[in-house]
Amino acid sequence: MPLPIAVLVSGSGSNLQSIIDKIEAGVLDAEIRVVVSNNEDAYGLERARKHGLPWAVADHRGYHAREAYDAEMVRILRDHGAGAVVLAGFMRMLTPVLLEAFPGRVLNIHPALLPSFPGTHGARDACDYAVRISGCSVHFVDEKMDNGPLVIQAAVPVAPDDDQKSLAARILRFEHRIYPQAIQWLAQGRLSVDGRTVHVAEAGAAPAEVECDHPFIVNPLLEAGF
Ligand code: GRF
């Protein structure tokens, strides 16, 4: 049975699109039960509508506490039968109310090599710092920002003439590969967490043939289709 997921977005939703595309291509064994946004203008909602996916808006304004907002979010997610939660550019911190409703089942993607450059501007901050290598990270979510155990990371080089926009765009290309891969591992029941260490059980899957105009490193390796 496909993993029933909810995808939470606040903006463009290009990561949501990569998840939709991998599901439609038959390589990601998940079903998007609902796309939820705190922002009714998020383009991610339009993507959901285009693909005939259920969607909902949960506007965080008007909630006196984060916990009350998360309780409403849990209600929406449960109503749609979600079994895991995928944060895809969702610009809100989660409380134990949501995390304890989906223990070990909440993933996030961040546009930097954590623990470097956590926060809302990972790609921009890495560019401003003039690092030589940046990247992206998929991690389990806990109560601290961009903090939980790492599932997969891709290292992406910074070109001498990069600006924030060009670097963010290059990183995003790898987000679109590692996030569906991490979700597929979750769907396959291959992830286990031991302290900070995430183990990915072997499945004998073929490694991906990865083509790219820049050198990069992905760890663990991508599998075919990602
Ligand atoms: C991505 O860079 C993601 O890493 C970060 O927010 C951005 C969302 O982009 N958490 P999109 O909405 O998926 O295009």
Side-chain angles (χ1 to χ4, degrees):
M1 195 184 101
L3 178 69
I5 61 173
V7 183
L8 275 51
V9 300
S10 295
S12 154
S14 70
N15 278 286
L16 164 67
Q17 188 68 53
S18 73
I19 295 163
I20 292 171
D21 292 347
K22 291 296 183 193
I23 291 173
E24 291 185 350
V27 291
L28 173 52
D29 191 21
E31 179 189 355
I32 299 176
R33 291 295 184 93
V34 65
V35 174
V36 191
S37 181
N38 62 320
N39 167 18
E40 66 179 358
D41 296 324
Y43 187 66
L45 291 175
E46 185 58 29
R47 296 182 196 269
R49 288 189 282 266
K50 277 188 187 164
H51 288 266
L53 296 170
W55 58 275
V57 175
D59 191 337
H60 56 279
R61 294 169 298 186
Y63 286 86
H64 60 283
R66 287 183 183 278
E67 288 77 7
Y69 178 75
D70 278 5
E72 170 63 4
M73 184 65 83
V74 169
R75 187 193 65 73
I76 294 170
L77 303 184
R78 286 204 169 126
D79 276 359
H80 287 86
V85 183
V86 172
L87 307 184
F90 186 63
M91 306 303 278
R92 308 257 326 150
M93 293 285 291
L94 303 185
T95 69
V97 171
L98 197 152
L99 294 172
E100 288 169 12
F102 296 91
R105 315 288 284 174
V106 185
L107 290 175
N108 183 43
I109 186 151
H110 182 72
L113 282 181
L114 292 172
S116 291
F117 308 114
T120 48
H121 300 290
R124 185 191 76 183
D125 293 347
C127 192
D128 288 352
Y129 199 91
V131 294
R132 297 294 190 178
I133 295 177
S134 191
C136 43
S137 309
V138 177
H139 63 95
F140 283 105
V141 176
D142 64 15
E143 284 171 63
K144 295 184 192 155
M145 184 179 282
D146 302 324
N147 181 70
L150 293 161
V151 178
I152 183 170
Q153 294 184 295
V156 176
V158 181
D161 56 351
D162 264 331
D163 57 19
Q164 294 167 11
K165 208 172 151 202
S166 61
L167 179 58
R170 185 176 314 116
I171 291 171
L172 205 52
R173 288 173 56 193
F174 285 91
E175 295 186 37
H176 297 163
R177 303 187 68 160
I178 67 172
Y179 212 6
Q181 171 75 90
I183 298 163
Q184 174 66 356
W185 287 332
L186 186 70
Q188 293 172 316
R190 289 168 58 192
L191 299 181
S192 57
V193 183
D194 177 13
R196 281 213 58 91
T197 304
V198 178
H199 298 282
V200 184
E202 292 290 331
E209 279 189 27
V210 180
E211 76 304 321
C212 184
D213 49 9
H214 285 272
F216 63 92
I217 301 168
V218 181
N219 188 5
L221 289 176
L222 292 163
E223 293 171 353
F226 298 91

